[in-house]
Amino acid sequence: MYATQALTQLVPLAADELDKNKVTPGVLGFLVFAALAVGVWFLMKSMNRHMGKVDFEEAPDPAAGPESADTPKRSTASKG
C-alpha cells in the first residue's frame, strides 16, 4: 500500500476532530523556519566573503588578432 493511499484513508477520520480555525504550524514550524533563515544567513555571509576574494581580470582573446584590447574597434555598421 502506498503512503498516499494510507493518508487518504486517514483524512476522513481527522476531519471530525480538526477545527480549521485553530490549525497553526506551532512551535515546530517556527523552529524549522528559524533554522532555515539562520542557514540562509550563514550561506549569504560565506558567499559574500568568497566573492570578496575573487580577483578576476579577463585575458585578451587570442583569436582577435594583433589588435590590442585597449584600442577601440571600428563599427562596420553603416550610418544612414
Side-chain angles (χ1 to χ4, degrees):
M1 180 182 283
Y2 294 110
T4 55
Q5 289 175 340
L7 289 177
T8 55
Q9 292 176 357
L10 293 176
V11 169
L13 297 175
D16 296 334
E17 302 169 6
L18 184 66
D19 185 8
K20 293 182 180 180
N21 294 326
K22 294 184 180 179
V23 176
T24 64
V27 175
L28 180 63
F30 173 75
L31 292 176
V32 169
F33 184 78
L36 286 172
V38 169
V40 167
W41 182 75
F42 276 117
L43 283 173
M44 289 177 62
K45 192 172 180 179
S46 174
M47 183 189 68
N48 194 18
R49 270 185 295 179
H50 282 86
M51 293 299 285
K53 292 180 184 178
V54 173
D55 185 24
F56 179 74
E57 188 172 319
E58 187 173 353
D61 189 13
E67 187 177 307
S68 69
D70 294 337
T71 58
K73 294 183 179 180
R74 292 185 183 166
S75 175
T76 57
S78 63
K79 295 180 182 178

